[in-house]
């Protein structure tokens, strides 16, 4: 496989811009645990064909999620799976079921359904309104939020924001929040890889680009980890909420303008 031939038709400015976008996406993921695909698809989609931009993010998304989930060791990752098993089970069940409903609800309507409450939640939290879920109702709340995340994920491929909403509302410790996100998104990224090997988006022409994107993503993530490790819990929470606002506004934009 020629990892460099894929760049032969790329202008130097395009290559530099793509590398910087991937670095930044990796940095944000390392700092707060999510939003890398959103940043990559938005940024790369402005300089590359849409399918090429989508292909470019598939392999680095998988690799960075594995790195994120395992950063504290596989034992800690497995403990996070056990701690959040109700959320994961509910998410996977609803993801599989709701995937059968694709086309019933328009993607634009779904983006608005996700984006509007997401922005409202994050802005209220940043403004000082504190939503905390009662630990006594954890099983119920995990099942509801996990199911909600899975329902949206099956229909739109987006389950990160509801996951972050739940972790924020429970004030999950930042190390646990990072691991859980890595596990949840890692499961999704495996599905994404398999789906697009089958769809043809990831093919002999685009796979080298996706593999080459892993390096900048990991470098950016390493820098983001350095910032993450220095952040107090309160700062980490506010950073997550700020990125949620950006993610929600992006979903609203897609819902209104496509």
């Amino acid at each position: 496989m020629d990892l460099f031939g894929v760049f032969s038709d790329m202008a130097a400015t395009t290559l530099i811009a793509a590398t910087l976008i991937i670095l930044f996406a990796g940095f944000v993921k390392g700092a707060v645990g999510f939003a890398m695909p959103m940043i990559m698809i938005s940024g790369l989609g402005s300089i590359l064909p849409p399918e090429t931009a989508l292909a470019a993010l598939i392999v680095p998304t998988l690799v960075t999620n594995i790195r994120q989930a395992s950063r504290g060791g596989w034992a800690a990752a497995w403990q996070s799976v056990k701690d959040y098993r109700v959320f994961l089970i509910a998410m996977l069940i609803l993801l599989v079921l709701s995937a059968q409903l694709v086309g019933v609800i328009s993607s634009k309507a779904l983006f608005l359904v996700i984006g509007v409450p997401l922005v409202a939640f994050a802005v209220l939290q940043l403004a000082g309104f504190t939503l905390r879920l009662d630990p006594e109702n954890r099983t119920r709340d995990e099942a509801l939020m996990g199911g909600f995340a899975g329902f949206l994920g099956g229909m739109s491929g987006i389950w990160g924001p509801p996951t972050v909403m739940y972790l924020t509302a429970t004030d999950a410790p930042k190390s646990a929040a990072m691991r859980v996100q890595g596990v949840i998104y890692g499961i999704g990224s495996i599905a994404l890889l398999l789906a697009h090997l089958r769809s043809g988006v990831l093919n002999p022409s685009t796979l080298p680009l996706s593999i080459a994107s892993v390096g900048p993503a990991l470098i950016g993530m390493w820098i983001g980890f350095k910032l993450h490790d220095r952040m107090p819990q309160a700062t980490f929470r506010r950073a997550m909420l700020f990125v949620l606002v950006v993610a929600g506004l992006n979903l609203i934009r897609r819902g209104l303008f496509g």
Side-chain angles (χ1 to χ4, degrees):
M1 183 183 299
D2 183 3
L3 287 176
F4 303 101
V6 70
F7 302 118
S8 59
D9 294 331
M10 264 192 203
T13 52
T14 301
L15 181 57
I16 293 170
T19 301
L20 292 175
I21 289 166
I22 298 166
L23 277 167
F24 178 68
F27 168 77
V28 173
K29 183 165 182 61
V32 298
F34 70 107
M36 191 177 87
M38 178 192 75
I39 294 169
M40 287 183 67
I41 197 67
S42 299
L44 295 179
S46 65
I47 58 174
L48 296 172
E51 286 198 357
T52 304
L54 175 59
L57 69 82
I58 293 172
V59 177
T61 297
L62 174 60
V63 173
T64 53
N65 279 321
I66 292 172
R67 176 70 187 96
Q68 181 174 328
S70 63
R71 191 181 184 218
W74 288 108
W78 179 242
Q79 185 60 48
S80 291
V81 171
K82 292 191 290 185
D83 290 344
Y84 289 86
R85 61 188 179 278
V86 174
F87 186 100
L88 287 164
I89 291 169
M91 184 194 77
L92 290 173
I93 291 173
L94 266 294
L95 191 150
V96 171
L97 294 176
S98 67
Q100 314 307 312
L101 301 176
V102 173
V104 174
I105 302 176
S106 74
S107 59
K108 287 189 175 183
L110 201 58
F111 289 144
L112 290 173
V113 166
I114 305 170
V116 172
L118 184 65
V119 170
F121 167 82
V123 169
L124 285 172
Q125 295 274 291
L126 286 169
F129 173 79
T130 303
L131 172 64
R132 291 286 189 271
L133 297 178
D134 190 341
E136 293 184 1
N137 299 321
R138 173 168 176 166
T139 300
R140 181 201 67 188
D141 294 338
E142 272 198 36
L144 289 173
M145 290 301 293
F148 178 57
F151 176 77
L152 296 177
M155 297 193 67
S156 68
I158 297 169
W159 55 86
T163 301
V164 176
M165 285 177 66
Y166 176 73
L167 293 172
T168 303
T170 56
D171 205 17
K174 64 176 187 173
S175 58
M178 291 288 282
R179 279 196 302 272
V180 171
Q181 288 184 80
V183 169
I184 293 171
Y185 307 152
I187 292 170
S189 57
I190 291 171
L192 186 70
L193 174 69
L194 295 176
H196 287 303
L197 281 172
R198 184 167 185 174
S199 72
V201 168
L202 205 58
N203 56 53
S205 296
T206 58
L207 183 58
L209 174 62
S210 197
I211 292 173
S213 299
V214 171
L218 286 176
I219 292 171
M221 191 178 198
W222 177 77
I223 299 170
F225 279 155
K226 295 296 183 183
L227 176 62
H228 170 83
D229 292 342
R230 293 174 178 270
M231 278 193 286
Q233 175 73 16
T235 305
F236 172 69
R237 187 172 184 275
R238 290 185 67 83
M240 289 178 70
L241 289 168
F242 177 77
V243 177
L244 269 185
V245 172
V246 176
L249 290 174
N250 183 59
L251 291 172
I252 293 171
R253 177 191 63 79
R254 292 174 67 182
L256 293 175
F257 307 110

